């Protein structure tokens, strides 16, 4: 039987292995020179003034919430369809989470739903967390316009979107947001195994992010409450965490980032082949990309005509060891969030439609044309009887 195919997978070559080995042979496995270099490389890639590395995307989102001052009793609004970490970060700070419906064709936060929620709001949220689903950038200009009017901070959950652009600006430049969070989990555009990065424009925000990521400690004498000339002196000024990235991981990140253009080009070629295969097909269609967004295609998201068709495709591929995934069960459906807010699902027609119809097909740089042809043929074969019925 052919080897199993998953919806996503890392691409590791000898340059990555050599980069990690170099750190292993050095004196410092963590808190050495590689983390700073990776931060600089990523900041320059996304054209952001500041980049702060952290141990994963979840930690990055938590740091963003803490550094923006989100605390007990605040309200944070989150796009309804995402990985649970997009909402959990606000809960870690004690905030109440409310969900904003999505547009099921793009998978991203619906501007109309946000407008309606703002118009009816008794009080405005302290922050809005938007998610660039599958790498498709949200309409950030419209979101920023709505949020600026009410002084709502914007966090971009860009865990899927390293390499994406919006109006030709790289996602991560924070042109329309306070900060932007990336994940380097193995299925993402580049990997450091576990890892994350936060980018921002404000120097003071960057300072707070760094401090929270390393126990709340400041090594900058200008910030100390009790000036001290001892060379070993440092101050813990707030309660922080150990959310640091190691040098081993940063070295891998640097090597991966050097090859990002190749990764993106291969992902885009795979998506084009899916698009060509499904053009004119009434039972499956590809995710609709937002105007002025150029996706990094972390996911190959399709919308099926109904949940039965989706189940058939999932099953037929699964029988051949090809494993798709659903991104995502709407977060408000999770028992943890249901017990917090008595949610009525019909309040989120966009997220419910996505939940019924969406599926992520395999996409990663080393997926071969033969493997993709197999996937496409299996889908066509599965859809064949239903297409005849619908004609
Ligand atoms: C949209 C989104 N946000 C946040 C995260 C959390 O990232 P990490 O796994 O690096 O903690 C993920 C990870 O899969 C994600 O997909």
């Amino acid at each position: 039987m052919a080897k199993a195919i998953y919806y996503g997978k890392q691409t590791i070559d000898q340059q990555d292995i050599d980069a990690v080995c170099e750190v292993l042979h050095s004196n410092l496995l963590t808190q050495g020179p590689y983390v700073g270099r990776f931060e600089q490389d990523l900041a320059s890639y996304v054209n952001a003034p500041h980049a702060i590395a952290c141990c994963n995307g979840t930690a990055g989102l938590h740091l963003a919430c803490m550094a923006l001052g989100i605390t007990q009793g605040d309200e944070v609004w989150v796009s309804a369809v995402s990985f649970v970490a997009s909402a959990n970060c606000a809960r870690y700070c004690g905030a109440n989470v409310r969900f904003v419906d999505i547009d099921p064709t793009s998978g991203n936060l619906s501007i109309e739903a946000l407008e309606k929620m703002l118009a009816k709001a008794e009080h405005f949220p302290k922050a809005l967390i938007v998610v660039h689903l599958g790498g498709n950038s949200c309409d950030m200009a419209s979101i920023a316009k709505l949020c600026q009017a009410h002084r709502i901070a914007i966090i971009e959950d860009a865990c899927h979107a390293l390499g994406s652009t919006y109006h030709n600006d790289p996602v991560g430049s924070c042109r329309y947001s306070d900060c932007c969070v990336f994940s380097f989990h193995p299925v993402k555009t580049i990997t450091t195994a576990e890892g994350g990065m936060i980018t921002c424009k404000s120097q003071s925000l960057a300072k707070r992010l760094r401090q929270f990521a390393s126990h709340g400690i400041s090594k900058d004498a200008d910030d100390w409450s009790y000036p001290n000339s001892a060379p070993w002196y440092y101050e813990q000024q707030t309660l922080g965490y150990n959310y640091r990235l190691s040098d081993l991981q940063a070295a891998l990140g640097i090597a991966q980032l050097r090859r990002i253009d190749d990764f993106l080009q291969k992902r885009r070629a795979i998506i084009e082949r899916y698009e060509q295969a499904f053009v004119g097909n009434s039972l499956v269609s590809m995710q609709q990309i937002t105007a002025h967004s150029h996706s990094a295609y972390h996911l190959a998201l399709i919308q099926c005509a109904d949940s039965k068709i989706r189940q058939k495709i999932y099953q037929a591929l699964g029988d051949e060891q090809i494993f798709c995934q659903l991104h995502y069960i709407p977060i408000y459906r999770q028992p943890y969030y249901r017990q917090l807010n008595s949610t009525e699902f019909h309040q989120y027609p966009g997220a419910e439609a996505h939940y019924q119809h969406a599926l992520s097909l395999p996409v990663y740089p080393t997926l071969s044309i033969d493997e993709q042809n197999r996937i496409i043929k299996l889908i066509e074969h599965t859809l064949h009887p239903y297409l005849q019925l619908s004609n």
Side-chain angles (χ1 to χ4, degrees):
M1 193 171 222
K3 71 177 181 331
I5 297 176
Y6 297 91
Y7 82 86
K9 189 182 162 189
Q10 69 275 16
T11 307
I12 298 292
D13 73 1
Q14 194 57 42
Q15 295 168 64
D16 298 311
I17 295 165
D18 291 347
V20 174
C21 286
E22 202 176 307
V23 182
L24 282 171
H25 285 115
S26 76
N27 281 333
L28 297 169
L29 302 189
T30 192
Q31 295 180 270
Y34 288 88
V35 173
R37 275 183 221 159
F38 184 34
E39 288 176 339
Q40 276 172 16
D41 289 358
L42 195 118
S44 97
Y45 179 71
V46 301
N47 203 9
H50 306 281
I52 297 95
C54 56
C55 57
N56 53 52
T58 306
L61 288 165
H62 184 197
L63 289 169
C65 289
M66 281 191 286
L68 287 168
I70 290 161
T71 185
Q72 198 76 30
D74 284 338
E75 203 164 277
V76 173
W77 292 4
V78 181
S79 191
V81 171
S82 184
F83 184 53
V84 291
S86 308
N88 289 349
C89 55
R91 294 291 303 144
Y92 298 152
C93 297
N96 300 317
V97 170
R98 286 185 67 197
F99 295 101
V100 186
D101 199 14
I102 64 148
D103 164 6
T105 59
S106 70
N108 285 343
L109 178 133
S110 150
I111 307 296
E112 291 73 35
L114 178 62
E115 251 173 337
K116 275 191 197 154
M117 270 178 79
L118 287 169
K120 284 197 213 146
E122 282 168 24
H123 42 257
F124 296 113
K126 190 144 180 183
L128 173 72
I129 302 178
V130 298
V131 182
H132 306 306
L133 197 77
N136 176 28
S137 171
C138 296
D139 176 2
M140 292 305 296
S142 304
I143 290 168
K145 205 168 155 198
L146 289 171
C147 287
Q148 267 157 16
H150 306 293
R151 302 170 68 89
I152 301 166
I154 301 175
I155 299 172
E156 290 176 76
D157 179 339
C159 287
H160 297 182
L162 183 64
S164 301
T165 61
Y166 173 69
H167 277 288
N168 296 324
D169 280 324
V171 169
S173 66
C174 302
R175 175 147 178 214
Y176 296 99
S177 68
D178 291 273
C179 55
C180 187
V181 179
F182 296 104
S183 162
F184 309 128
H185 179 276
V187 291
K188 303 299 189 326
T189 319
I190 65 165
T191 191
T192 60
E194 296 282 354
M197 192 85 77
I198 313 150
T199 58
C200 66
K201 289 174 301 210
S202 149
Q203 189 163 1
S204 58
L205 186 63
K207 212 172 205 179
R208 287 200 296 283
L209 287 163
R210 270 188 204 292
Q211 207 174 5
F212 280 123
S214 194
H215 307 279
I217 286 173
S218 168
K219 290 189 177 160
D220 184 346
D222 292 342
D223 296 335
W224 290 341
S225 308
Y226 302 98
N228 192 309
S229 58
W232 50 78
Y233 188 75
Y234 60 86
E235 280 188 358
Q236 184 201 340
Q237 299 180 321
T238 186
L239 187 61
Y241 294 77
N242 180 353
Y243 277 172
R244 293 186 306 252
L245 192 76
S246 72
D247 273 49
L248 280 176
Q249 293 165 306
L252 178 55
I254 293 168
Q256 288 261 301
L257 192 56
R258 282 197 202 113
R259 305 208 307 290
I260 193 168
D261 289 343
D262 180 49
F263 293 166
L264 291 170
Q265 190 240 315
K266 288 184 169 135
R267 283 180 178 274
R268 288 178 177 138
I270 291 166
I271 295 296
E272 267 173 37
R273 287 198 289 272
Y274 280 134
E275 272 167 354
Q276 277 162 16
F278 302 143
V279 76
N281 190 315
S282 57
L283 299 180
V284 289
S285 55
M286 299 295 289
Q287 174 191 30
Q288 197 170 310
I289 299 303
T290 309
H292 309 295
S293 160
H294 195 43
S295 179
Y297 291 113
H298 160 57
L299 299 175
L301 271 167
I302 59 166
Q303 291 285 330
C304 304
D306 57 44
S307 57
K308 185 173 131 202
I309 296 286
R310 179 185 51 192
Q311 178 66 27
K312 294 273 174 204
I313 294 174
Y314 183 87
Q315 194 62 51
L317 293 176
D319 288 347
E320 295 292 318
Q321 301 290 296
I322 299 167
F323 301 109
C324 298
Q325 184 53 283
L326 165 62
H327 295 93
Y328 294 90
I329 302 167
I331 307 176
Y332 56 77
R333 277 182 167 262
Q334 296 296 346
Y336 172 75
Y337 284 97
R338 281 164 87 161
Q339 138 237 303
L340 285 176
N341 302 327
S342 52
T343 306
E344 293 185 31
F345 299 159
H346 67 80
Q347 288 176 280
Y348 304 99
E352 287 296 299
H354 178 89
Y355 182 43
Q356 294 303 318
H357 300 165
L359 193 64
S360 301
L361 302 179
V363 57
Y364 50 87
T366 55
L367 184 75
S368 71
I369 292 185
D370 282 352
E371 287 170 326
Q372 193 180 6
N373 285 342
R374 248 180 80 218
I375 295 167
I376 291 168
K377 284 221 166 69
L378 279 164
I379 295 175
E380 285 171 348
H381 182 74
T382 309
L383 294 181
H384 189 64
Y386 302 95
L387 277 170
Q388 283 183 329
L389 279 178
S390 69
N391 283 338

